[in-house]
Amino acid sequence: MFDQAQALRNLVRNRESLRQGERRTKIVTITSGKGGVGKSNFTLNFALSLQSLGQKALVFDADIGMANIDVLMGVQARYHLYHLLKREKTIWEIIHTGPKELQFIAGGSGFQDLLSLPEEDLNYFTEQVDQLTGSVDYILFDTGAGLSKETLKFIVAADETIVVTTPEPTSITDAYALIKVVHRMRPDVSFQLVVNRVADVSEGRQTADKIKLVAEQFLELDIPTLGYISDDSNVSKAVKKQVPFTIAFPNSIASKEIAQMSTRFITGQRYTEPVPGGVKGFFNKMLRLQRK
Ligand SMILES: Nc1ncnc2c1ncn2[C@@H]1O[C@H](COP(=O)(O)OP(=O)(O)OP(=O)(O)O)[C@@H](O)[C@H]1O
Ligand SMILES: [Mg+2]
């Protein structure tokens, strides 16, 4: 498995030698321990948000068998990964355009093949993906939940891994389990955490802290928080409309939180908790001063 992972990993290395004026393409894998925590919605809307900040992002649906990024956008993808893996199409032919000119590659159902691809096919796959180098700023791989062998390959090959969890205990323990397994295999993989569907900031913090504390204690691993996304009914409304929520409901809380996250992601700023303004903020600040 790791020969193939190494081939994917080489993509990252090869991208060091850029021609002048080319973009430095960063590969980001979005994953989770438990399923259904909001990865695909996050990936899609995060990509759109990066685009609105002037970055070019390409969403790559790598969810084996359950690929659905195209459904979330209400766009039909004529060609998908299967055609690439079978060497029937080039990478450029399987890239489709969604809303706001967002480029994406649909997953289709052929991804299992990556496991058992003959060497020439794998070389074709990595060569083709490598062609994207310089044409976009970010490639966001939306993976399936849990630690399938394919997902591991993407995690290992990426520059960064974003782990999505919700505050549910099962989601938290599964997220930690995933981090632990990956870290033991490849200690150099770096993670960032997104807590989705939080009731408020303090639930986000408590959830993140649980994962951070065990990661620090047992793995000596620092896992920065990229941010929290509120549980927002506009998300499922948008899913039903097949329009990404940042487009359907740009003023929703979830959309604003995604916008803040993408700014932080681009600038590399660490997450700091928002200080509420108004009377509540005033008293919060006073309490904090008293404690000092
Ligand atoms: N912030 C949110 N607020 C409210 N509902 C949400 C939020 N995020 C996700 N959801 C709900 O969770 C559902 C699943 O989201 P999504 O498909 O993005 O999860 P996933 O992690 O990609 O799932 P899978 O593991 O099956 O790929 C959405 O259809 C939506 O109804
Ligand atoms: Mg998904």
Side-chain angles (χ1 to χ4, degrees), residues 86-126:
K86 288 285 158 200
R87 296 207 252 171
E88 287 168 17
K89 295 283 166 203
T90 66
I91 193 111
W92 305 108
E93 288 168 318
I94 63 163
I95 294 177
H96 292 76
T97 306
K100 306 254 178 197
E101 300 299 307
L102 179 72
Q103 294 193 312
F104 71 96
I105 292 177
S109 56
F111 227 90
Q112 275 102 331
D113 292 29
L114 189 56
L115 258 184
S116 50
L117 273 188
E119 197 65 24
E120 319 87 78
D121 287 356
L122 181 77
N123 287 343
Y124 179 75
F125 174 78
T126 52

Side-chain angles (χ1 to χ4, degrees), residues 30-43 45 61 63 66-69 72 142-146 164 166 195-198 229-237 239-240 245 254 257:
I30 293 93
T31 194
S32 70
K34 191 170 178 282
V37 297
K39 291 178 297 296
S40 300
N41 275 281
F42 168 76
T43 307
N45 288 285
D61 194 345
D63 190 354
M66 303 289 217
N68 60 11
I69 279 283
L72 291 178
D142 173 25
T143 72
V164 182
T166 68
V195 187
N196 190 24
R197 309 196 69 166
V198 302
I229 307 171
S230 297
D231 190 69
D232 184 342
S233 59
N234 291 305
V235 176
S236 67
K237 276 188 209 155
V239 172
K240 285 177 197 148
F245 64 81
E257 288 159 338

